[in-house]
Amino acid sequence: MVREKDLILVVDDSPTNLAILNVVLRDIYQVITANNGSDALTLAASEEPDLIILDIMMPGMDGYEICDRLKSNPFTRDIPVMFVTAMDQERQEAKGLALGAVDYIAKPVSPPIVLARVRNQLELKKQRDYLRRLSAIDGLTGIANRRAFEEDFDREWRRSIRLKSSICVYLTDIDNFKAYNDAYGFLAGDDCLRILAQAMSKALMRPGDILARYSGEEFVGLMPDTDASGAAIVGERLLGATRALSMPHSHSGTESIVTISIGAAVCRPAPSSDRTSLFKLAGDALYAAKKGGRNQARVFEMPDPVTAI
């Protein structure tokens, strides 16, 4: 998720405390607020803030319980949490740190201290995110790997449900790649994968579109906010980018150059929808593209859950 400013969620049941922290932070950061635990958990999951500043003493669900729930949720557990408290007891601080909090801010808040501690935690988060991104890169092709795709797919699926928007998954397979390796050797096959991965990445024009190496010669992609017509356009763009490389493949049986087959699946998910069904449908579309002669794209559309009833 690309933002111009880091996003901070401030949680406090006191309107005065919310206003003070908002004034301290708003010139540098984007700030959203919640005054209870339920709203805080909802905002954390939907907005994915870069940092959460959380009051401990709140009616109903206190800060400890909110932090515990955040850290128990795989979608929010990596968001750093800072506690704000008037309590000056080592036992209370130890409890918060044991739950996964990264720091404390004492009340009454000192603006310079708040800004310094927030800046430090955001810098640490950027470093952790960078290392996480490195672990999500395929070593051969330099694009995202399967693990990164699975994480992005899950996040974008939930986002599509929340926004009631379309999402597209596509599978891409190099036509007759075994014959390519047999004819030109595995080193040439690796070069082919690298060149093709970079060409397809450049063909995806939106920052939010994702391409990953799934396995062997198979690539997988994800396009948020994309309907069937958009999927077809991107499919033709990927086919064209591959053909433009003009990599010789005299043993293809399809063309004299390297080509690909693409299967895309599109849906507008509902809370009851299953994302594995969309992935399977993309596999069915890829099979249809291969059976139809390869070097082509097929787009299948999953019926709208309401329409299908």
Side-chain angles (χ1 to χ4, degrees):
M1 187 177 295
V2 180
R3 300 188 179 105
E4 292 184 3
K5 293 182 177 181
D6 290 320
L7 177 64
I8 299 176
L9 169 60
V10 180
V11 186
D12 198 309
D13 63 304
S14 165
T16 301
N17 292 337
L18 287 177
I20 291 172
L21 284 170
N22 186 47
V23 169
V24 171
L25 298 167
R26 66 187 180 190
D27 288 342
I28 303 174
Y29 307 106
Q30 182 182 351
V31 181
I32 54 176
T33 61
N35 59 14
N36 62 77
S38 178
D39 288 349
L41 294 172
T42 299
L43 281 171
S46 63
E47 300 300 325
E48 300 178 25
D50 298 292
L51 177 69
I52 298 174
I53 298 178
L54 179 60
D55 186 33
I56 291 180
M57 301 302 293
M58 292 192 295
M61 192 186 307
D62 65 16
Y64 294 129
E65 183 177 353
I66 296 170
C67 184
D68 190 39
R69 292 197 187 190
L70 288 167
K71 297 304 174 183
S72 299
N73 186 334
F75 307 127
T76 57
R77 65 187 175 197
D78 293 327
I79 303 172
V81 174
M82 295 177 65
F83 277 131
V84 181
T85 179
M87 298 183 298
D88 187 19
Q89 299 178 13
E90 290 185 0
R91 184 191 306 175
Q92 299 296 342
E93 289 192 11
K95 179 178 179 179
L97 294 171
L99 287 172
V102 295
D103 203 354
Y104 271 80
I105 299 172
K107 293 180 183 177
V109 298
S110 165
I113 295 296
V114 170
L115 290 173
R117 289 179 181 268
V118 166
R119 182 177 62 251
N120 289 343
Q121 293 305 326
L122 289 172
E123 284 300 321
L124 288 171
K125 181 180 184 295
K126 285 182 174 67
Q127 294 174 20
R128 290 193 298 269
D129 290 346
Y130 174 71
L131 292 174
R132 191 179 295 115
R133 285 194 297 272
L134 285 181
S135 70
I137 294 175
D138 177 61
L140 176 63
T141 62
I143 64 173
N145 60 22
R146 180 171 179 167
R147 170 188 158 188
F149 166 76
E150 295 291 353
E151 292 178 355
D152 287 338
F153 189 16
D154 184 79
R155 182 179 63 252
E156 293 298 338
W157 181 263
R158 291 183 289 114
R159 177 180 172 275
S160 294
I161 292 173
R162 188 173 73 250
L163 300 179
K164 298 180 173 59
S165 60
S166 296
I167 186 170
C168 171
V169 170
Y170 60 94
L171 291 169
T172 302
D173 194 67
I174 303 177
D175 295 329
N176 308 297
F177 191 64
K178 182 180 183 303
Y180 187 94
N181 278 329
D182 291 344
Y184 301 102
F186 288 100
L187 290 178
D190 287 349
D191 286 340
C192 176
L193 287 168
R194 277 191 289 265
I195 294 169
L196 185 56
Q198 294 305 314
M200 288 195 295
S201 293
K202 291 178 182 177
L204 298 175
M205 306 180 81
R206 299 184 308 175
D209 293 342
I210 297 157
L211 176 72
R213 186 181 179 205
Y214 199 70
S215 64
E217 71 274 21
E218 191 172 58
F219 298 89
V220 63
L222 185 66
M223 294 185 292
D225 304 310
T226 302
D227 57 15
S229 61
I233 291 170
V234 174
E236 289 301 321
R237 191 185 302 140
L238 292 172
L239 291 169
T242 303
R243 297 189 193 106
L245 295 171
S246 297
M247 288 187 288
H249 189 354
S250 58
H251 296 73
S252 170
T254 302
E255 295 284 343
S256 60
I257 59 174
V258 171
T259 59
I260 58 175
S261 297
I262 300 172
V266 176
C267 78
R268 189 183 302 272
S272 59
S273 302
D274 179 8
R275 64 188 176 96
T276 59
S277 298
L278 185 66
F279 191 86
K280 181 181 180 303
L281 189 63
D284 294 342
L286 177 61
Y287 177 77
K290 290 182 176 182
K291 191 174 181 180
R294 304 178 190 271
N295 190 23
Q296 60 184 271
R298 294 289 181 93
V299 179
F300 287 0
E301 194 166 7
M302 186 176 289
D304 187 84
V306 175
T307 306
I309 295 176

